[in-house]
Amino acid sequence: MTDGTGDRHSELGIRRSDLYALHQLALSAAGCRTLPELAATATGAGEAIASVTNVGIALVIERDRTIRVYQGPTGTLGVAEIRIVEIAEPSPLTDVVRTEAPVVIGSESEFAERYPSIARRVEPGEVTAMATHPLRHDGEVIGSCFFRYSRGLELTAEREWLIERMVDLIALSVVSIADRDEVVEYSHRLEQSNQDLENFAAVVAHDLAGPVRRISSFLQLMLRGVGPLDDTTQRYAQTVTEQMAHLDALLRDTLAYSQVVTPSDRRERVDLKSVVEDVVHSLATELSDVGADVQIGDLPTVDADRALVRQVVQNLVENAVKYRSPDRTLRIGVSSQSSDVGDEPWWRITIGDNGIGIDPERSDEVFTMFGRLEPSSELPGTGVGLAFVKRVVERHGGDIGLDSEPGRGSNFWFTLPGIDAPDVL
């Protein structure tokens, strides 16, 4: 039992080689990266499949206003320049976009009658027949496509059937190229926007730091110069001093955050255990004051920027001190486990504590810039530290996360690349 397709092909004189050529066009068109490349590919395939002289593709670039035209090369006219054409201007490509219906021209005289201004610009015999079809996507006309015949070649029923199949393949490729170009353009705009924001943050933080410190210094000089203050004025002065110190810390943290913008070029073999021990030693006074118990497990050697990773560890240990529970001795543990990705060695580092914990539903908020889960007046900090930690980890290609339970503590974890083992002969 058949569906009649074979009989229809036989009736039109469609050969198996024509269907194979359409299949090859589908593969070739899918690999085209630009519309000029697609027009050239379609022209080569059109010549082989339906004996066309060349193919032209038009894409609507301003709704109801203009199209951009790309033509494939020909032996007689060469490669035409990319042109912008007003949709109101009469031509096969624009007429199809306006009417959303094909325009089929069967003879040179018919072409001259319908488009006299175009006919006067071309040599005799250059357009003896032409089929122009709309290019559609999701039911909307996004452009048009012509198939031109010259030098006595005719548009037969067989060729028209093959052209209609080619139109469908070309439309799919046009959409793919347009989508890809839009994604690339958006990516470039986003990258530039992010760069502008980072530059702005760095400039603001740097330029404001000096005036803030000078204001704080002059405030202290003024307080010493005016002599004893009453309690209320003293309280006001103390508040201003504290807020200036907070602003200075905020600017320093923002500047540090903005400077971590690209994967580090200072990566080296870093003994993570020595880094953690160095951090614990530098924070010995703070840890001793709260009676903290720090346990450091076996830690790997990683491929990282030592200074940045040290800051990550310090921020997380300081975070554990800040959010400790008043009801029990603070315990901080640092551990690791292998977390290889394929053949690449990776390590998952965990810094855990038994502090006040975090609501799991709000865990993502702690990594946002200026993200704080408590009023800023309750605990010190700028809200930048964990955002900085996240950025450093991501610049190393790693991930970061948090497992926490309110009242029980938090486990901050992050991944870093390990060191490839040397080949053993």
Side-chain angles (χ1 to χ4, degrees):
M1 185 174 181
T2 66
D3 60 1
T5 303
D7 294 340
R8 175 62 172 162
H9 289 170
S10 299
E11 180 183 336
L12 290 172
I14 306 300
R15 299 163 297 181
R16 186 180 298 274
S17 60
D18 294 327
L19 300 178
Y20 177 76
L22 284 171
H23 174 68
Q24 291 300 111
L25 171 61
L27 297 177
S28 300
C32 290
R33 309 289 297 181
T34 65
L35 290 174
E37 181 185 357
L38 178 60
T41 298
T43 292
E47 183 179 5
I49 295 171
S51 302
V52 302
T53 301
N54 82 318
V55 175
I57 298 171
L59 184 66
V60 177
I61 55 175
E62 291 184 71
R63 177 55 53 192
D64 299 329
R65 291 188 60 187
T66 57
I67 57 173
R68 183 179 285 123
V69 181
Y70 309 83
Q71 290 195 52
T74 68
T76 55
L77 298 179
V79 179
E81 294 182 352
I82 298 172
R83 296 184 298 118
I84 304 295
V85 179
E86 297 286 337
I87 290 180
E89 180 182 331
S91 74
L93 290 172
T94 53
D95 286 354
V96 167
V97 170
R98 284 198 310 273
T99 64
E100 301 188 2
V103 171
V104 179
I105 295 172
S107 66
E108 186 172 7
S109 59
E110 182 183 354
F111 181 79
E113 181 180 349
R114 292 191 61 171
Y115 303 105
S117 62
I118 300 177
R120 286 193 294 269
R121 298 198 301 265
V122 300
E123 295 293 327
E126 286 299 331
V127 182
T128 56
M130 179 179 285
T132 308
H133 291 264
L135 298 175
R136 301 180 186 274
H137 176 59
D138 289 341
E140 179 183 355
V141 173
I142 60 172
S144 54
C145 181
F146 74 62
F147 299 80
R148 179 175 68 89
Y149 289 87
S150 64
R151 307 301 175 187
L153 291 173
E154 297 179 353
L155 182 59
T156 64
E158 171 195 348
R159 289 170 177 168
E160 177 63 17
W161 186 91
L162 291 168
I163 285 172
E164 290 174 358
R165 306 289 84 74
M166 291 177 64
V167 167
D168 294 336
L169 299 175
I170 291 170
L172 289 173
S173 295
V174 167
V175 171
S176 176
I177 291 171
D179 286 348
R180 187 186 305 120
D181 288 346
E182 184 177 349
V183 169
V184 170
E185 182 181 356
Y186 176 78
S187 176
H188 288 163
R189 290 200 308 268
L190 184 60
E191 182 179 357
Q192 184 60 52
S193 176
N194 287 340
Q195 185 63 53
D196 290 344
L197 287 173
E198 288 161 354
N199 291 340
F200 175 76
V203 169
V204 169
H206 180 271
D207 290 355
L208 286 180
V212 166
R213 294 192 186 102
R214 285 194 292 274
I215 291 172
S216 182
S217 297
F218 277 106
L219 175 63
Q220 296 306 313
L221 291 173
M222 183 183 70
L223 291 176
R224 286 198 290 268
V226 297
L229 302 174
D230 60 66
D231 291 344
T232 300
T233 305
Q234 183 65 45
R235 189 171 65 253
Y236 291 162
Q238 182 63 30
T239 299
V240 172
T241 300
E242 292 172 353
Q243 291 303 309
M244 294 303 294
H246 177 76
L247 180 56
D248 182 53
L250 182 60
L251 291 172
R252 282 188 281 105
D253 287 351
T254 301
L255 182 59
Y257 177 88
S258 68
Q259 290 173 338
V260 186
V261 294
T262 57
S264 174
D265 58 358
R266 300 181 298 174
R267 285 163 68 152
E268 57 182 317
R269 296 173 64 96
V270 176
D271 180 353
L272 202 55
K273 186 160 189 172
S274 70
V275 170
V276 175
E277 289 173 343
D278 182 40
V279 168
V280 171
H281 177 73
S282 67
L283 296 176
T285 300
E286 291 88 339
L287 293 169
S288 176
D289 287 346
V290 299
D293 175 27
V294 181
Q295 298 294 322
I296 305 173
D298 292 333
L299 299 176
T301 297
V302 295
D303 179 26
D305 182 318
R306 181 182 180 89
L308 290 178
V309 170
R310 186 189 186 285
Q311 191 62 51
V312 165
V313 174
Q314 181 169 324
N315 283 9
L316 292 176
V317 172
E318 289 176 338
N319 196 75
V321 173
K322 184 190 305 182
Y323 294 99
R324 65 188 182 276
S325 171
D327 302 326
R328 51 184 175 268
T329 299
L330 173 61
R331 301 188 187 281
I332 302 173
V334 185
S335 60
S336 68
Q337 66 181 67
S338 176
S339 182
D340 293 349
V341 179
D343 296 331
E344 299 181 5
W346 280 80
W347 290 92
R348 174 167 164 150
I349 315 302
T350 301
I351 299 181
D353 63 63
N354 63 340
I356 61 176
I358 297 170
D359 183 350
E361 294 185 359
R362 303 186 64 189
S363 60
D364 288 343
E365 297 178 35
V366 301
F367 295 110
T368 60
M369 192 68 168
F370 309 123
R372 303 194 62 176
L373 303 187
E374 78 294 324
S376 59
S377 60
E378 293 184 5
L379 290 169
T382 62
V384 179
L386 291 179
F388 173 87
V389 167
K390 183 174 186 289
R391 171 166 279 203
V392 170
V393 170
E394 290 178 344
R395 290 305 183 271
H396 282 78
D399 296 319
I400 188 168
L402 165 66
D403 300 318
S404 184
E405 183 178 347
R408 300 290 297 275
S410 301
N411 288 318
F412 286 89
W413 60 264
F414 57 93
T415 58
L416 290 174
I419 303 296
D420 289 322
D423 293 333
V424 178
L425 299 180

